Every structure is written in structure tokens, then in C-alpha cells.
Amino acid sequence: MVCDKQQADMEVDVIISGCGPVGALTCNLLGSLGVRTLVLEQDLAPHGQPRAFSCDDEALRIYQSTGLGAELQKDMRENRFAEYVGETGKRFAEVHTGSADFGFGYSPLWFFHQPKVEGVLREGMGRFPHVKLQVGASVESLEQDAAGVTVRYQLLQTGETRTVRGRYLLACDGARSGVRKALGIKMSGRAYGEPWLAVSGSVEGDAPELCRFVCDPKRPAFVATGAVGQFRWEFMLMPGETREEMERPETIKKLLAPYIDPERVHVERAQVYTFHCLNAARWRDGNVFLLGDAAHTMPPFMGQGLVSGMRDASNLAWKIQRVVRGLAPASLLDTYEEERRPHVEAVQKLCVRVGHLFLARNRWVAGARDMVMRALQRIPRVRRFIQGFEFKQPPMHERGYYLGGGHAPESAEGTYFIQPKVRLQSGKEVLLDDAIGNDFAVLCRANAPSAQVAAARGLAEALGARLLAVQSSGADGSDVPAVEDITGKLGDWFSRHDSDVVVLRPDRFVFGAVKAERLPELRDALGV
Ligand SMILES: Cc1cc2nc3c(=O)[nH]c(=O)nc-3n(C[C@H](O)[C@H](O)[C@H](O)COP(=O)(O)OP(=O)(O)OC[C@H]3O[C@@H](n4cnc5c(N)ncnc54)[C@H](O)[C@@H]3O)c2cc1C
């Protein structure tokens, strides 16, 4: 089919196919950046059933950047402790998620109720007159040329067909992405043979707070107290067990019995899933980009499937805005896959490794694992690595849109900037991102010589970025807007990276951190 762009019923900057959690988040990010967006969703109402259950500090920071962080966090539960137990129920590893602090403003493990999150994101889209959601609209086909994409979609209630023209199309249409298939992009990787039964529900009366990986070769399971009174139990199916048999209420009761009195459980959803660990051969085709499950899937052992899609959205939204506004060349968009794919692949590998640990099926192997894990944790460094959750993949880009082209050992470029609390000049204490907004930002030391501060100001103005001077606690005022570094962490960061000025990208990755004399180099790299 050829869609004539002259005949499109509507024209926008960005069309999004699919309003699942990744599509809805992307919409909010684009909306807050002023990008005209139409999102097409085939279903009339949000999914309504919980699938994703946990997220992390990076996810919370991304939600914060949409202005919906507090609203979303209100219905989340911070998980402070996770444990791995063996066949006998004896713990062989524990992760102290409540005290782990990677510096990004939040602790690293949170449980949420997906329907609540999707509800808030959908409502949040209503804040932007330039963002439109069309539900009951199924994307049918697309045509692209050098200038953009024309999408044909069907309104499922009336059967009417419409077209929309956009500069870019973002496929957020999930693991079975029709857009990806239409472009002939293949997925590769591996499917996990063992299906899992995921049971969600609530519990009558008091219930223990827990987050437990049951690494019992007879029946690997995951049991956790979630947000808003929700629980999650996941059980691996054993050879010969069928979906029908596992989803039966009496089977579910039997499976729950070792963990809780099943009569107190109100099951809201019980469904068998098979998890895949797949990656699309390419995440971009001309003016079409794949995000979230459309681009990659992974088993849920680290709770990183949705979070990875959120990182995609956070990485791409501001790049699209800058290109659409004519502030950056279209080549900036090539850095989306360049930056994100290696991170996703690393997270997938980690999920698979954790899966191996979790899913040992042989009793003797599982017993040996428990012993080795306990023994290893007598070594303080290993104990810290496990208990401090240091095995989680750090957010970092080896290559991409950075001064010097990416992260070199010990360099700040390509790393995720810290987010400590700061005090505003009004006296109010906020997390750093709330002080710097959602565009580029330039931070400099407040006590720098005035010529340096002036140079940093020149850079910020040329970039259209907010400039903030970082004062150490109790320092005197500065002639540029300042924040007080009440924890001392920003000052330490500047010292550790031997720099006076840092430029943060809108997604809060460090574009460049330099001594004042290297500011011209930074400006060159930014093209301003
Ligand atoms: C049991 C289970 C547990 C999980 N636990 C976690 C976890 O704890 N943490 C985590 O981070 N992840 C977890 N995940 C993964 C997570 O659920 C997914 O990664 C996430 O839902 C992907 O979001 P998405 O928006 O990319 O895709 P989806 O949620 O699949 O949304 C795609 C949307 O596109 C729409 N759509 C599809 N085709 C069209 C079309 N042609 N036209 C218009 N609309 C269309 C669909 O209706 C849907 O609304 C879990 C998954 C499962 C199954």
C-alpha cells in the first residue's frame, strides 16, 4: 500500500504505535518536551492486569523527569531486602536493597502495581494539548520516505481507516510488534523452555513483607509482597505440567499453601508465560524506531524488562525533540541504538546468569550452589558485591553522543550522573533533577574564578541549558543561580573527576566533564 502524505488525516511530529507502559511513558516525555505526538492503541482500555512488578532507581528517576514521580511513587513499595533460599528453605544469599545506594536519588528495588502506573501515565498525557491518544486504533501499515512516515490505522469500533503523517514512528507495540514485522526485522536470541505461572492477588489480613527467590530444584519460585496490598507468586512449571492444569484454582491453592493460607488469598490473575531473551536485529529503520519489548525481551529474574524499555524512552525522547526542533542533526538519532543496545545485551546476560543460579534443576548441583554461595560470602568483598546489589548492571554507555565518543575507563563521560539532595536558594531541599529541569544542564563549582563561571555561562546560553553553580554547604552567594551541596556529594564528584564544569544531557547522562581550560573543547563537541 502507498499512503499519500498529502492525504493524511493528521500531521504530527511523532506517531507512537502502542500505549502500553513504554508507549505511555514515551508520550509523557515527548509531551513535556513540547513534541506533537499521536499515540495509537488498539485496546480500548489499559491492560488492567499486572505483569511487570518491580522497577529500580533509574526507573524512578525517569518517572521523576516526567513530573509524575511523586504521584507514581505514592503507590509503590520500597523493597529493602531480598533473599535466595535453597531446597530446605535455608538462605544462601541476601541482598540489602534498602541500604544499597548507587547515588541516583532512590534505593534500587521498588514494587509497583502495573495498572496503577499505567493509569497515572495515561492521565499524565492529558497535561499536554499537543499529545493525543487514540484508543481502539490498530496500526495496519506504514510507508516511509526521507521526510517521514505515513501510518494507516483502523478504528476498531467503526471499521473506519485513517492515515496520519509523522516525522518519526516509534514502535512501542510490544513483543509481537506488528511494526517490526512489517519492516521485516527479525528477533534473535533464545526462548526459555520452562514456562512460569505468575499469580497476582491480594491477601486478607496481615501478611509478611518478603521478597524471596525459592531456588528449590523441585519447584523454583518467586514470592513477594508488592505495592498497594498486592502479592506476586511465580512458579516454574515442571516437565509434563500443562498450562490448563496450572491455571486451575485448586492447583494454585496447592502451590500457594507453603507460603500463605490460600483461603486468605484473592487471586486476581494467574497466567502461564514463557519468557524469551531476544533482541531485534536492528532498532531503527529509516524514520522508525523500536522501543521496549518491540526491540528486546528478557526473563524477569532481575525485573528489568520494562525498565529497559523505560531507558529506551528516556534515551530517545530528547534526541527526537532536538532533531525535530532543528537543534541537532538527524545523525544524533543513530546514537539511540549505539548507546542502548550494549546495555540491554549486558542486562540480558545478567538475567540469564541469575536465572542459572535460580533455576538449577539438579538437586546435587543446587546443593553445591548453596554451599559455594555461602562460602564465597565469607569473603568480605564478595559479600559486599552480593549484599550491596553490586551485580546489577550500572547505567553506562561505552559509545555514543559524548565528549570523546563515550566512556573511557575512569572517565565521567557516558556515566549516569548522581542525584543527591540539594538546597535551593529559597531554602527548600529537593533532589538535584528537580533543580535543573529536563533539558541540558551545566553545573560548575561556585567558588571557581569569575572568568570560569562566565565561560560556563556562555556555554549554557549557547546550549539553551540551565546553569547552576554548586556551592559547598554554607558557602557565600554566587552571581549565577546556585544550589547548596548539602551532602557534599557533588563536590566529591567534581574532585573525583578532576573537573570544574559538567554538562548533563536531558536524560542525565554525563556528556562531558572538564577543567575550565577545556571548555572550548566541550563547546566544539556540542557544536555550540
Ligand atoms: C509475568 C511477567 C512479569 C514481569 N515482571 C517484570 C518486572 O518485574 N519488571 C520489569 O521491568 N518487567 C517485567 N516484565 C516485562 C514487562 O511486562 C514488559 O517488558 C513490558 O510490559 C513491556 O512494555 P511495552 O510497553 O514495551 O509492551 P506491552 O506492555 O506489550 O505494550 C504494547 C502495547 O501495544 C499495543 N499494540 C500492539 N499492537 C498494536 C497495533 N497494531 N496497533 C496499536 N496498538 C498496538 C498493545 O495493545 C499494548 O498496549 C514482566 C513480564 C511478565 C510477562
Side-chain angles (χ1 to χ4, degrees):
M1 183 201 103
V2 178
C3 308
D4 184 344
K5 64 180 176 184
Q6 299 304 325
Q7 289 171 4
D9 301 309
M10 188 179 182
E11 201 164 328
V12 290
D13 298 319
V14 174
I15 306 162
I16 298 180
S17 172
C19 195
V22 174
L25 170 70
T26 310
C27 244
N28 276 282
L29 290 167
L30 290 170
S32 66
L33 294 168
V35 178
R36 292 177 309 144
T37 305
L38 171 69
V39 58
L40 301 168
E41 167 55 49
Q42 63 188 6
D43 291 340
L44 288 172
H47 198 274
Q49 299 287 352
R51 283 169 298 159
F53 182 76
S54 71
C55 66
D56 64 11
D57 44 351
E58 295 165 59
L60 263 80
R61 192 173 187 183
I62 293 169
Y63 286 139
Q64 182 189 347
S65 74
T66 66
L68 299 171
E71 179 67 17
L72 286 161
Q73 205 182 344
K74 169 163 93 70
D75 286 322
M76 292 191 185
R77 186 174 85 76
E78 181 187 25
N79 185 77
R80 302 191 61 80
F81 182 80
E83 61 180 352
Y84 291 77
V85 303
E87 186 182 2
T88 58
K90 202 168 152 204
R91 187 184 300 155
F92 66 82
E94 58 195 64
V95 186
H96 298 191
T97 45
S99 52
D101 179 6
F102 300 125
F104 306 135
Y106 304 91
S107 58
L109 186 59
W110 292 75
F111 291 147
F112 61 88
H113 188 46
Q114 189 171 350
K116 286 240 174 217
V117 167
E118 291 198 49
V120 172
L121 291 174
R122 287 247 178 140
E123 254 188 69
M125 285 156 51
R127 297 172 295 169
F128 310 109
H130 47 280
V131 167
K132 184 169 160 31
L133 165 65
Q134 176 73 64
V135 294
S138 173
V139 170
E140 302 283 294
S141 61
L142 66 107
E143 283 290 327
Q144 51 173 331
D145 51 51
V149 189
T150 304
V151 166
R152 191 171 71 146
Y153 61 97
Q154 189 178 41
L155 296 177
L156 297 175
Q157 283 181 307
T158 60
E160 196 187 328
T161 296
R162 292 198 182 158
T163 54
V164 56
R165 174 84 183 161
R167 179 112 176 243
Y168 297 107
L169 167 65
L170 309 188
C172 300
D173 50 352
R176 297 198 181 115
S177 170
V179 171
R180 188 187 67 226
K181 284 181 194 148
L183 294 168
I185 301 175
K186 297 263 179 297
M187 297 292 271
S188 61
R190 60 165 286 200
Y192 275 76
E194 310 86 1
W196 282 72
L197 171 72
V199 182
S200 305
S202 52
V203 172
E204 219 173 86
D206 291 341
E209 275 206 1
L210 81 164
C211 173
R212 182 179 300 156
F213 293 84
V214 183
C215 309
D216 175 358
K218 292 197 297 305
R219 173 78 74 196
F222 168 69
V223 190
T225 318
V228 293
Q230 288 281 311
F231 278 75
R232 175 65 65 93
W233 301 268
E234 292 174 5
F235 304 97
M236 194 169 102
L237 270 64
M238 294 291 122
E241 288 176 337
T242 64
R243 169 186 293 266
E244 293 68 33
E245 153 191 13
M246 292 301 280
E247 289 176 357
R248 270 189 218 130
E250 53 278 19
T251 313
I252 294 168
K253 279 189 180 170
K254 249 193 242 160
L255 289 166
L256 294 182
Y259 305 103
I260 196 149
D261 171 7
E263 299 308 324
R264 290 171 52 210
V265 176
H266 170 62
V267 174
E268 286 169 22
R269 179 183 172 86
Q271 193 166 346
V272 170
Y273 293 91
T274 302
F275 298 111
H276 304 284
C277 195
L278 303 173
N279 230 314
R282 56 185 197 284
W283 295 8
R284 178 181 187 179
D285 185 297
N287 295 315
V288 185
F289 295 84
L290 309 183
L291 291 83
D293 277 17
H296 43 73
T297 55
M298 60 190 73
F301 309 131
M302 289 288 292
Q304 287 288 306
L306 171 55
V307 178
S308 296
M310 295 178 63
R311 294 188 190 105
D312 297 345
S314 172
N315 185 287
L316 187 58
W318 66 270
K319 292 177 180 172
I320 285 191
Q321 182 246 12
R322 289 190 83 75
V323 173
V324 164
R325 294 276 168 277
L327 299 170
S331 59
L332 175 63
L333 301 174
D334 293 334
T335 63
Y336 163 61
E337 182 173 347
E338 183 185 32
E339 292 173 2
R340 288 288 308 127
R341 181 188 280 276
H343 188 265
V344 163
E345 287 173 351
V347 174
Q348 286 173 321
K349 268 192 204 135
L350 179 62
C351 291
V352 170
R353 269 190 228 123
V354 170
H356 284 149
L357 183 79
F358 184 25
L359 303 177
R361 295 291 312 283
N362 176 298
R363 261 191 95 183
W364 303 109
V365 172
R369 167 203 62 201
D370 299 2
M371 274 191 328
V372 170
M373 288 295 290
R374 279 192 206 103
L376 279 174
Q377 285 168 89
R378 290 200 200 103
I379 306 167
R381 184 66 200 98
V382 177
R383 190 166 59 240
R384 225 174 31 247
F385 180 75
I386 295 172
Q387 296 189 353
F389 205 15
E390 290 178 21
F391 55 92
K392 182 173 183 275
Q393 186 65 27
M396 198 254 287
H397 299 146
E398 296 281 356
R399 292 187 320 120
Y401 179 63
Y402 295 104
L403 175 68
H407 178 75
E410 308 300 320
S411 83
E413 286 77 21
T415 61
Y416 203 35
F417 195 59
I418 55 170
Q419 186 184 208
K421 272 206 167 148
V422 293
R423 187 173 292 126
L424 303 177
Q425 282 163 322
S426 64
K428 191 174 169 197
E429 287 181 17
V430 296
L431 283 169
L432 177 70
D433 292 0
D434 291 337
I436 56 182
N438 61 0
D439 207 327
F440 271 90
V442 178
L443 304 187
C444 66
R445 292 181 193 259
N447 58 0
S450 56
Q452 283 182 17
V453 175
R457 182 190 281 129
L459 166 65
E461 280 169 6
L463 195 57
R466 192 173 294 184
L467 171 68
L468 275 185
V470 176
Q471 296 175 328
S472 53
S473 301
D476 288 333
S478 146
D479 66 343
V480 294
V483 288
E484 189 182 324
D485 181 18
I486 46 182
T487 62
K489 289 179 180 167
L490 291 170
D492 289 349
W493 192 95
F494 277 113
S495 303
R496 197 166 59 252
H497 293 287
D498 192 23
S499 50
D500 300 318
V501 178
V502 55
V503 173
L504 303 181
R505 310 189 326 179
D507 58 5
R508 300 302 160 235
F509 279 81
V510 175
F511 177 85
V514 294
K515 295 293 273 182
E517 55 272 19
R518 286 183 61 209
L519 269 173
E521 198 186 317
L522 194 52
R523 287 188 72 144
D524 271 358
L526 286 160
V528 293

